[in-house]
Amino acid sequence: MTFADHFDTFHGLPVLTLPEPGEEALPAAGGVAWRLDCFEAGDIPFPELWQSFKERVPSADVRALVIGPWWEDEYSELRPVLELVLADAARFPALRALFLADVTGEECEISWLQLTDITPVLEAFPLLEELGVRGGDSQGLGEEALSLRPVRHDALRELRFESGGLPGQVVRAVGACELPALERLELWLGVEAYGGDATVADLAPILSGGRFPALRHLGLQDSELQDEIAAAIASAPVVAQLESLSLSMGTLTDAGAEALLRGQPLTHLKRLDLHHHFLGESMAERVEAAIGSAGTDVDLSERLAPHRWRDEEWRYVAVSE
């Protein structure tokens, strides 16, 4: 899987990439999700793009912000860019959604995106309702890597990490956060080769069901431990409160699916997303018969066969490098 296109919508709003000055009339500040992209802005440095944005768009009315490629020539880390945004947090009292790194695969591989500690975002924007992050471990490209500290945030409703290797430290920090309003949590766990060193044990606070009382959607995806995660989900208390569950994009096999079928009922779910999986045809039919026939929308698309190399089978996640 590659990120071939930028967002069309974000936080229920159409995404508009800030054009160069004078190119076109700008819409109302609160009517779109503003996307800042140094490539589209004429290859100017991000500090100049940020200043132009503040001068041309009434910041007090901005509801959603998307950060695209923030480098104009050679790739650079995100931290200085995020520091600029956070320094002006008081100018954005209406901001309810922020996405960091809406970057396509042609612009930069996901594993190359050097992120930073994102905790200050939650501290600076106490009314933020949606936070999305793309990227993960720095993989030796620099000292910066994605990190998070446990924090309480009373407004956040959706938290999403897209990564080919989500650090275990981030997973543990999410589980230690107090997020009483959180309704949707999505973690792309990735693979160990790209920094995804989280274990099933790291997921225990999330799976317990007591940490996020408002949670209705849980995605534990893109993992090379997908069978182990499925086995943990089979008895996880959090499942009872969910309306939808995603175990997609990973290396789910018949063993993981068997654990789901033998575990607690999943027929109360409106949707079960298992797309990109390695189930045999008969097992896929069993899952559909047991769960789909009860009215749950079961996504079993992208049934894959493992690669073979020297008499060994190799299964792969959808997003890694």
Side-chain angles (χ1 to χ4, degrees):
M1 177 178 178
T2 59
F3 300 96
D5 301 301
H6 297 132
F7 290 159
D8 293 321
T9 62
F10 178 59
H11 200 61
L13 298 169
V15 173
L16 176 68
T17 299
L18 183 72
E20 294 185 50
E23 281 193 356
E24 58 187 83
L26 299 181
V32 299
W34 295 94
R35 183 174 181 278
L36 303 184
D37 184 329
C38 286
F39 295 170
E40 296 292 333
D43 292 335
I44 66 172
F46 188 87
E48 294 182 22
L49 177 59
W50 182 246
Q51 184 63 33
S52 176
F53 175 58
K54 293 187 296 181
E55 291 174 353
R56 297 161 58 199
V57 178
S59 57
D61 298 326
V62 172
R63 295 169 54 200
L65 182 62
V66 176
I67 304 298
W70 55 86
W71 60 98
E72 73 280 2
D73 186 10
E74 294 186 4
Y75 177 81
S76 60
E77 62 190 27
L78 177 68
R79 180 180 49 80
V81 168
L82 190 57
E83 288 175 349
L84 280 177
V85 175
L86 295 175
D88 285 320
R91 299 185 56 161
F92 294 85
L95 190 71
R96 296 296 180 269
L98 174 64
F99 192 92
L100 301 175
D102 177 27
V103 177
T104 68
E106 288 189 356
E107 293 164 338
C108 185
E109 297 287 359
I110 191 170
S111 63
W112 298 356
L113 293 170
Q114 298 176 52
L115 302 186
T116 187
D117 182 5
I118 64 162
T119 315
V121 172
L122 297 173
E123 295 170 334
F125 296 103
L127 299 180
L128 198 70
E129 296 176 356
E130 181 174 356
L131 175 61
V133 180
R134 180 176 295 167
D137 193 273
S138 62
Q139 286 299 298
L141 296 177
E143 296 182 357
E144 293 289 337
L146 175 64
S147 63
L148 176 69
R149 290 177 279 109
V151 66
R152 180 180 176 91
H153 195 287
D154 292 324
L156 195 68
R157 297 172 58 187
E158 181 167 351
L159 179 60
R160 175 185 177 98
F161 288 96
E162 300 179 353
S163 180
L166 189 62
Q169 182 276 328
V170 174
V171 176
R172 293 188 292 273
V174 169
C177 284
E178 294 183 55
L179 306 172
L182 191 69
E183 298 175 0
R184 296 182 61 86
L185 174 62
E186 191 165 311
L187 306 177
W188 296 11
L189 299 166
V191 300
E192 187 173 6
Y194 286 100
D197 58 356
T199 66
V200 174
D202 293 331
L203 298 171
I206 298 170
L207 298 179
S208 70
R211 177 59 64 180
F212 307 128
L215 194 67
R216 296 297 178 264
H217 171 79
L218 176 61
L220 301 175
Q221 304 162 240
D222 195 54
S223 177
E224 58 188 348
L225 304 178
Q226 208 71 61
D227 281 349
E228 295 178 41
I229 293 170
I233 283 287
S235 59
V238 72
V239 172
Q241 72 188 67
L242 300 178
E243 296 179 353
S244 57
L245 171 67
S246 181
L247 304 176
S248 64
M249 302 170 60
T251 59
L252 187 70
T253 71
D254 286 4
E258 185 69 43
L260 291 176
L261 292 176
R262 291 185 177 182
Q264 62 187 308
L266 300 177
T267 51
H268 68 288
L269 296 173
K270 295 180 180 178
R271 178 172 172 79
L272 175 62
D273 184 2
L274 303 178
H275 85 270
H276 183 105
H277 61 86
F278 294 85
L279 305 188
E281 184 175 358
S282 60
M283 178 57 75
E285 291 174 352
R286 285 181 59 195
V287 171
E288 180 62 43
I291 303 174
S293 63
T296 300
D297 178 14
V298 181
D299 186 349
L300 287 162
S301 60
E302 296 183 49
R303 185 166 69 89
L304 304 166
H307 289 172
R308 294 185 179 275
W309 173 253
R310 295 180 178 176
D311 297 325
E312 293 185 1
E313 291 186 342
W314 176 61
R315 296 173 178 83
Y316 50 93
V317 302
V319 175
S320 54
E321 184 180 7

